[in-house]
Amino acid sequence: MTYPPERLHHEIAYIAYHFHWSRAEIMDLEHPDRRRYVTQIASFVSG
């Protein structure tokens, strides 16, 4: 099973927008770490 490309692009854009990290930095993250950052950002945004 592959990870949907649209979801991956969404995660990259979401993390890059909030943390100002480059695409390369985000892609160097392991998938579980990237998902953890997305979840953490969402909790920051929702308050």
Short mmCIF file of all heavy atoms in Angstrom, two decimals:
data_model
loop_
_atom_site.label_atom_id
_atom_site.label_comp_id
_atom_site.label_asym_id
_atom_site.label_seq_id
_atom_site.Cartn_x
_atom_site.Cartn_y
_atom_site.Cartn_z
N MET A 1 0.85 -1.18 0.00
CA MET A 1 0.00 0.00 0.00
C MET A 1 0.89 1.24 0.00
O MET A 1 1.81 1.36 0.79
CB MET A 1 -0.90 -0.01 1.23
CG MET A 1 -1.84 1.13 1.28
SD MET A 1 -2.97 0.88 2.67
CE MET A 1 -3.88 2.36 2.55
N THR A 2 0.63 2.14 -0.92
CA THR A 2 1.40 3.38 -1.00
C THR A 2 0.61 4.52 -0.38
O THR A 2 -0.62 4.48 -0.31
CB THR A 2 1.73 3.74 -2.46
OG1 THR A 2 0.52 3.91 -3.16
CG2 THR A 2 2.58 2.66 -3.09
N TYR A 3 1.35 5.49 0.07
CA TYR A 3 0.72 6.66 0.68
C TYR A 3 0.21 7.56 -0.45
O TYR A 3 0.94 7.83 -1.40
CB TYR A 3 1.74 7.39 1.54
CG TYR A 3 1.15 8.31 2.56
CD1 TYR A 3 0.37 7.82 3.59
CD2 TYR A 3 1.40 9.66 2.51
CE1 TYR A 3 -0.16 8.67 4.54
CE2 TYR A 3 0.86 10.52 3.46
CZ TYR A 3 0.09 10.01 4.47
OH TYR A 3 -0.45 10.86 5.41
N PRO A 4 -1.02 8.02 -0.38
CA PRO A 4 -1.57 8.84 -1.47
C PRO A 4 -0.75 10.11 -1.71
O PRO A 4 -0.50 10.86 -0.77
CB PRO A 4 -2.98 9.19 -0.98
CG PRO A 4 -3.29 8.21 0.09
CD PRO A 4 -1.97 7.81 0.70
N PRO A 5 -0.33 10.34 -2.94
CA PRO A 5 0.50 11.52 -3.24
C PRO A 5 -0.15 12.84 -2.83
O PRO A 5 0.54 13.74 -2.35
CB PRO A 5 0.69 11.45 -4.76
CG PRO A 5 0.42 10.05 -5.13
CD PRO A 5 -0.54 9.51 -4.12
N GLU A 6 -1.46 12.96 -3.01
CA GLU A 6 -2.12 14.21 -2.63
C GLU A 6 -2.01 14.46 -1.13
O GLU A 6 -1.83 15.59 -0.69
CB GLU A 6 -3.60 14.20 -3.05
CG GLU A 6 -3.79 14.39 -4.53
CD GLU A 6 -3.20 15.71 -5.04
OE1 GLU A 6 -3.37 16.74 -4.37
OE2 GLU A 6 -2.54 15.68 -6.08
N ARG A 7 -2.09 13.42 -0.36
CA ARG A 7 -1.98 13.55 1.10
C ARG A 7 -0.55 13.94 1.48
O ARG A 7 -0.33 14.78 2.35
CB ARG A 7 -2.40 12.27 1.79
CG ARG A 7 -2.47 12.40 3.27
CD ARG A 7 -3.28 11.29 3.89
NE ARG A 7 -3.37 11.50 5.29
CZ ARG A 7 -4.41 12.04 5.90
NH1 ARG A 7 -5.46 12.38 5.20
NH2 ARG A 7 -4.44 12.21 7.19
N LEU A 8 0.42 13.34 0.82
CA LEU A 8 1.81 13.68 1.08
C LEU A 8 2.07 15.15 0.76
O LEU A 8 2.69 15.87 1.55
CB LEU A 8 2.74 12.79 0.25
CG LEU A 8 4.23 13.07 0.38
CD1 LEU A 8 4.70 12.90 1.82
CD2 LEU A 8 5.01 12.17 -0.56
N HIS A 9 1.58 15.62 -0.38
CA HIS A 9 1.76 17.03 -0.76
C HIS A 9 1.08 17.95 0.25
O HIS A 9 1.61 19.00 0.60
CB HIS A 9 1.22 17.29 -2.16
CG HIS A 9 2.06 16.68 -3.24
ND1 HIS A 9 3.32 17.12 -3.56
CD2 HIS A 9 1.84 15.63 -4.05
CE1 HIS A 9 3.82 16.39 -4.52
NE2 HIS A 9 2.94 15.46 -4.84
N HIS A 10 -0.08 17.55 0.73
CA HIS A 10 -0.78 18.34 1.73
C HIS A 10 0.05 18.44 3.00
O HIS A 10 0.19 19.53 3.58
CB HIS A 10 -2.15 17.73 2.03
CG HIS A 10 -2.88 18.42 3.13
ND1 HIS A 10 -3.58 19.59 2.95
CD2 HIS A 10 -2.97 18.12 4.44
CE1 HIS A 10 -4.08 19.97 4.12
NE2 HIS A 10 -3.73 19.10 5.03
N GLU A 11 0.61 17.32 3.45
CA GLU A 11 1.43 17.33 4.66
C GLU A 11 2.66 18.22 4.49
O GLU A 11 3.01 18.98 5.39
CB GLU A 11 1.87 15.91 5.02
CG GLU A 11 0.75 15.05 5.52
CD GLU A 11 1.19 13.64 5.80
OE1 GLU A 11 2.37 13.31 5.67
OE2 GLU A 11 0.31 12.85 6.16
N ILE A 12 3.32 18.11 3.34
CA ILE A 12 4.51 18.93 3.08
C ILE A 12 4.14 20.41 3.11
O ILE A 12 4.81 21.21 3.77
CB ILE A 12 5.15 18.55 1.74
CG1 ILE A 12 5.73 17.14 1.82
CG2 ILE A 12 6.23 19.55 1.34
CD1 ILE A 12 6.10 16.55 0.48
N ALA A 13 3.08 20.77 2.42
CA ALA A 13 2.66 22.18 2.38
C ALA A 13 2.27 22.68 3.76
O ALA A 13 2.61 23.81 4.14
CB ALA A 13 1.50 22.34 1.40
N TYR A 14 1.58 21.85 4.49
CA TYR A 14 1.11 22.23 5.84
C TYR A 14 2.29 22.49 6.77
O TYR A 14 2.34 23.52 7.46
CB TYR A 14 0.22 21.10 6.36
CG TYR A 14 -0.64 21.44 7.53
CD1 TYR A 14 -1.66 22.38 7.43
CD2 TYR A 14 -0.47 20.78 8.75
CE1 TYR A 14 -2.48 22.66 8.51
CE2 TYR A 14 -1.29 21.06 9.82
CZ TYR A 14 -2.29 21.99 9.70
OH TYR A 14 -3.10 22.26 10.78
N ILE A 15 3.25 21.59 6.79
CA ILE A 15 4.41 21.75 7.66
C ILE A 15 5.27 22.93 7.18
O ILE A 15 5.72 23.75 7.99
CB ILE A 15 5.24 20.46 7.72
CG1 ILE A 15 4.44 19.35 8.41
CG2 ILE A 15 6.56 20.70 8.46
CD1 ILE A 15 5.06 17.97 8.31
N ALA A 16 5.49 23.04 5.88
CA ALA A 16 6.31 24.12 5.34
C ALA A 16 5.69 25.48 5.66
O ALA A 16 6.40 26.42 6.04
CB ALA A 16 6.45 23.96 3.83
N TYR A 17 4.38 25.57 5.54
CA TYR A 17 3.69 26.84 5.81
C TYR A 17 3.87 27.27 7.26
O TYR A 17 4.14 28.44 7.55
CB TYR A 17 2.20 26.70 5.47
CG TYR A 17 1.40 27.94 5.76
CD1 TYR A 17 1.40 29.01 4.88
CD2 TYR A 17 0.65 28.04 6.93
CE1 TYR A 17 0.67 30.15 5.15
CE2 TYR A 17 -0.08 29.17 7.22
CZ TYR A 17 -0.07 30.24 6.32
OH TYR A 17 -0.79 31.37 6.61
N HIS A 18 3.73 26.34 8.17
CA HIS A 18 3.76 26.69 9.59
C HIS A 18 5.16 26.75 10.18
O HIS A 18 5.42 27.57 11.06
CB HIS A 18 2.90 25.70 10.39
CG HIS A 18 1.44 25.92 10.15
ND1 HIS A 18 0.73 26.94 10.74
CD2 HIS A 18 0.57 25.26 9.35
CE1 HIS A 18 -0.53 26.90 10.32
NE2 HIS A 18 -0.66 25.89 9.47
N PHE A 19 6.06 25.89 9.75
CA PHE A 19 7.40 25.85 10.34
C PHE A 19 8.47 26.46 9.44
O PHE A 19 9.61 26.59 9.86
CB PHE A 19 7.78 24.41 10.67
CG PHE A 19 7.08 23.83 11.86
CD1 PHE A 19 7.14 22.46 12.10
CD2 PHE A 19 6.36 24.60 12.74
CE1 PHE A 19 6.51 21.90 13.20
CE2 PHE A 19 5.71 24.05 13.84
CZ PHE A 19 5.79 22.69 14.07
N HIS A 20 8.11 26.79 8.19
CA HIS A 20 9.05 27.40 7.25
C HIS A 20 10.24 26.47 6.98
O HIS A 20 11.37 26.94 6.84
CB HIS A 20 9.52 28.77 7.74
CG HIS A 20 8.38 29.68 8.08
ND1 HIS A 20 7.64 30.33 7.13
CD2 HIS A 20 7.83 30.00 9.28
CE1 HIS A 20 6.70 31.04 7.73
NE2 HIS A 20 6.79 30.85 9.03
N TRP A 21 9.99 25.19 6.94
CA TRP A 21 11.01 24.21 6.61
C TRP A 21 10.97 23.97 5.11
O TRP A 21 9.92 24.11 4.47
CB TRP A 21 10.77 22.90 7.33
CG TRP A 21 10.95 22.93 8.81
CD1 TRP A 21 11.43 23.97 9.56
CD2 TRP A 21 10.63 21.89 9.74
NE1 TRP A 21 11.42 23.63 10.88
CE2 TRP A 21 10.94 22.37 11.02
CE3 TRP A 21 10.11 20.62 9.61
CZ2 TRP A 21 10.76 21.59 12.16
CZ3 TRP A 21 9.92 19.85 10.74
CH2 TRP A 21 10.25 20.33 12.00
N SER A 22 12.10 23.58 4.56
CA SER A 22 12.14 23.28 3.13
C SER A 22 11.51 21.92 2.84
O SER A 22 11.36 21.09 3.75
CB SER A 22 13.59 23.28 2.63
OG SER A 22 14.27 22.14 3.15
N ARG A 23 11.19 21.72 1.57
CA ARG A 23 10.63 20.44 1.16
C ARG A 23 11.61 19.31 1.49
O ARG A 23 11.20 18.25 1.98
CB ARG A 23 10.34 20.45 -0.34
CG ARG A 23 9.70 19.19 -0.86
CD ARG A 23 9.53 19.23 -2.38
NE ARG A 23 8.73 18.14 -2.86
CZ ARG A 23 9.19 16.90 -3.03
NH1 ARG A 23 10.44 16.63 -2.75
NH2 ARG A 23 8.39 15.95 -3.46
N ALA A 24 12.90 19.55 1.25
CA ALA A 24 13.91 18.53 1.52
C ALA A 24 13.96 18.17 3.00
O ALA A 24 14.06 16.99 3.36
CB ALA A 24 15.27 19.01 1.05
N GLU A 25 13.87 19.18 3.87
CA GLU A 25 13.89 18.92 5.31
C GLU A 25 12.68 18.08 5.71
O GLU A 25 12.79 17.16 6.52
CB GLU A 25 13.88 20.23 6.09
CG GLU A 25 15.17 21.01 5.99
CD GLU A 25 15.07 22.39 6.60
OE1 GLU A 25 14.05 23.10 6.35
OE2 GLU A 25 15.99 22.77 7.32
N ILE A 26 11.54 18.41 5.14
CA ILE A 26 10.31 17.68 5.49
C ILE A 26 10.36 16.26 4.96
O ILE A 26 9.98 15.32 5.64
CB ILE A 26 9.09 18.45 4.98
CG1 ILE A 26 9.00 19.81 5.68
CG2 ILE A 26 7.80 17.65 5.20
CD1 ILE A 26 8.07 20.80 5.03
N MET A 27 10.88 16.10 3.75
CA MET A 27 10.96 14.76 3.16
C MET A 27 12.00 13.89 3.86
O MET A 27 11.93 12.67 3.77
CB MET A 27 11.27 14.85 1.67
CG MET A 27 10.11 15.37 0.84
SD MET A 27 8.61 14.39 1.01
CE MET A 27 9.12 12.86 0.23
N ASP A 28 12.94 14.51 4.57
CA ASP A 28 13.91 13.72 5.34
C ASP A 28 13.29 13.11 6.58
O ASP A 28 13.89 12.20 7.17
CB ASP A 28 15.10 14.60 5.75
CG ASP A 28 16.09 14.82 4.62
OD1 ASP A 28 16.02 14.06 3.62
OD2 ASP A 28 16.92 15.73 4.74
N LEU A 29 12.14 13.60 6.98
CA LEU A 29 11.48 13.05 8.16
C LEU A 29 10.92 11.67 7.84
O LEU A 29 10.45 11.42 6.73
CB LEU A 29 10.31 13.96 8.60
CG LEU A 29 10.65 15.36 9.06
CD1 LEU A 29 9.36 16.18 9.20
CD2 LEU A 29 11.40 15.32 10.38
N GLU A 30 10.92 10.79 8.82
CA GLU A 30 10.22 9.51 8.68
C GLU A 30 8.73 9.81 8.68
O GLU A 30 8.27 10.79 9.28
CB GLU A 30 10.58 8.59 9.84
CG GLU A 30 12.03 8.17 9.88
CD GLU A 30 12.39 7.25 8.73
OE1 GLU A 30 11.52 6.49 8.27
OE2 GLU A 30 13.55 7.32 8.27
N HIS A 31 7.98 8.96 7.99
CA HIS A 31 6.54 9.21 7.87
C HIS A 31 5.84 9.41 9.23
O HIS A 31 5.07 10.37 9.38
CB HIS A 31 5.88 8.08 7.07
CG HIS A 31 4.41 8.25 6.95
ND1 HIS A 31 3.83 9.18 6.14
CD2 HIS A 31 3.41 7.62 7.60
CE1 HIS A 31 2.52 9.11 6.27
NE2 HIS A 31 2.24 8.16 7.14
N PRO A 32 6.10 8.55 10.22
CA PRO A 32 5.43 8.77 11.51
C PRO A 32 5.79 10.13 12.13
O PRO A 32 4.92 10.76 12.76
CB PRO A 32 5.93 7.62 12.39
CG PRO A 32 6.35 6.56 11.43
CD PRO A 32 6.87 7.30 10.24
N ASP A 33 7.03 10.57 11.95
CA ASP A 33 7.43 11.88 12.48
C ASP A 33 6.70 13.00 11.75
O ASP A 33 6.25 13.96 12.37
CB ASP A 33 8.94 12.08 12.37
CG ASP A 33 9.70 11.14 13.26
OD1 ASP A 33 9.16 10.72 14.30
OD2 ASP A 33 10.85 10.81 12.91
N ARG A 34 6.59 12.88 10.43
CA ARG A 34 5.88 13.89 9.64
C ARG A 34 4.42 13.96 10.07
O ARG A 34 3.87 15.04 10.25
CB ARG A 34 6.01 13.58 8.15
CG ARG A 34 5.62 14.75 7.27
CD ARG A 34 5.92 14.51 5.79
NE ARG A 34 5.41 13.25 5.31
CZ ARG A 34 6.18 12.22 4.93
NH1 ARG A 34 7.47 12.33 4.91
NH2 ARG A 34 5.64 11.09 4.53
N ARG A 35 3.79 12.82 10.27
CA ARG A 35 2.39 12.79 10.70
C ARG A 35 2.25 13.42 12.09
O ARG A 35 1.29 14.11 12.37
CB ARG A 35 1.85 11.35 10.72
CG ARG A 35 1.65 10.73 9.36
CD ARG A 35 0.55 11.40 8.55
NE ARG A 35 -0.66 11.53 9.36
CZ ARG A 35 -1.52 12.53 9.26
NH1 ARG A 35 -1.32 13.49 8.40
NH2 ARG A 35 -2.59 12.59 10.02
N ARG A 36 3.23 13.16 12.95
CA ARG A 36 3.20 13.72 14.30
C ARG A 36 3.26 15.25 14.24
O ARG A 36 2.54 15.93 14.96
CB ARG A 36 4.37 13.17 15.12
CG ARG A 36 4.26 13.45 16.60
CD ARG A 36 5.33 12.73 17.43
NE ARG A 36 5.34 11.31 17.15
CZ ARG A 36 6.40 10.62 16.67
NH1 ARG A 36 7.53 11.22 16.45
NH2 ARG A 36 6.32 9.33 16.44
N TYR A 37 4.11 15.80 13.37
CA TYR A 37 4.18 17.26 13.22
C TYR A 37 2.85 17.81 12.70
O TYR A 37 2.38 18.85 13.16
CB TYR A 37 5.32 17.67 12.30
CG TYR A 37 6.66 17.66 12.98
CD1 TYR A 37 7.64 16.75 12.62
CD2 TYR A 37 6.96 18.58 13.99
CE1 TYR A 37 8.88 16.73 13.24
CE2 TYR A 37 8.19 18.57 14.62
CZ TYR A 37 9.15 17.65 14.24
OH TYR A 37 10.36 17.63 14.87
N VAL A 38 2.25 17.14 11.74
CA VAL A 38 0.95 17.60 11.22
C VAL A 38 -0.08 17.62 12.33
O VAL A 38 -0.83 18.60 12.48
CB VAL A 38 0.50 16.70 10.04
CG1 VAL A 38 -0.96 16.97 9.69
CG2 VAL A 38 1.40 16.91 8.83
N THR A 39 -0.11 16.59 13.13
CA THR A 39 -1.07 16.53 14.24
C THR A 39 -0.79 17.63 15.26
O THR A 39 -1.72 18.29 15.75
CB THR A 39 -0.99 15.15 14.92
OG1 THR A 39 -1.30 14.15 13.95
CG2 THR A 39 -1.95 15.06 16.08
N GLN A 40 0.49 17.86 15.55
CA GLN A 40 0.86 18.89 16.52
C GLN A 40 0.49 20.28 16.01
O GLN A 40 -0.05 21.10 16.75
CB GLN A 40 2.36 18.82 16.82
CG GLN A 40 2.77 19.66 18.00
CD GLN A 40 2.19 19.13 19.29
OE1 GLN A 40 2.30 17.95 19.57
NE2 GLN A 40 1.56 19.97 20.05
N ILE A 41 0.77 20.56 14.75
CA ILE A 41 0.40 21.86 14.18
C ILE A 41 -1.11 22.05 14.24
O ILE A 41 -1.59 23.12 14.61
CB ILE A 41 0.89 21.98 12.72
CG1 ILE A 41 2.42 22.02 12.67
CG2 ILE A 41 0.31 23.22 12.05
CD1 ILE A 41 3.00 21.82 11.28
N ALA A 42 -1.86 21.02 13.91
CA ALA A 42 -3.32 21.12 13.94
C ALA A 42 -3.80 21.46 15.35
O ALA A 42 -4.74 22.25 15.50
CB ALA A 42 -3.95 19.83 13.45
N SER A 43 -3.16 20.91 16.36
CA SER A 43 -3.57 21.23 17.74
C SER A 43 -3.20 22.67 18.09
O SER A 43 -3.95 23.33 18.81
CB SER A 43 -2.98 20.25 18.75
OG SER A 43 -1.60 20.47 18.93
N PHE A 44 -2.07 23.17 17.56
CA PHE A 44 -1.71 24.58 17.79
C PHE A 44 -2.75 25.50 17.14
O PHE A 44 -3.16 26.50 17.73
CB PHE A 44 -0.35 24.91 17.18
CG PHE A 44 0.84 24.23 17.80
CD1 PHE A 44 2.00 24.06 17.06
CD2 PHE A 44 0.81 23.76 19.09
CE1 PHE A 44 3.12 23.45 17.61
CE2 PHE A 44 1.92 23.13 19.65
CZ PHE A 44 3.07 22.97 18.90
N VAL A 45 -3.12 25.16 15.91
CA VAL A 45 -4.02 26.01 15.13
C VAL A 45 -5.42 26.03 15.74
O VAL A 45 -6.06 27.08 15.81
CB VAL A 45 -4.07 25.54 13.66
CG1 VAL A 45 -5.15 26.26 12.88
CG2 VAL A 45 -2.71 25.74 13.01
N SER A 46 -5.87 24.87 16.21
CA SER A 46 -7.24 24.80 16.76
C SER A 46 -7.32 25.37 18.16
O SER A 46 -8.41 25.64 18.66
CB SER A 46 -7.74 23.36 16.74
OG SER A 46 -7.02 22.56 17.67
N GLY A 47 -6.16 25.55 18.77
CA GLY A 47 -6.12 26.19 20.08
C GLY A 47 -6.32 25.23 21.15
O GLY A 47 -6.65 25.16 22.20
#
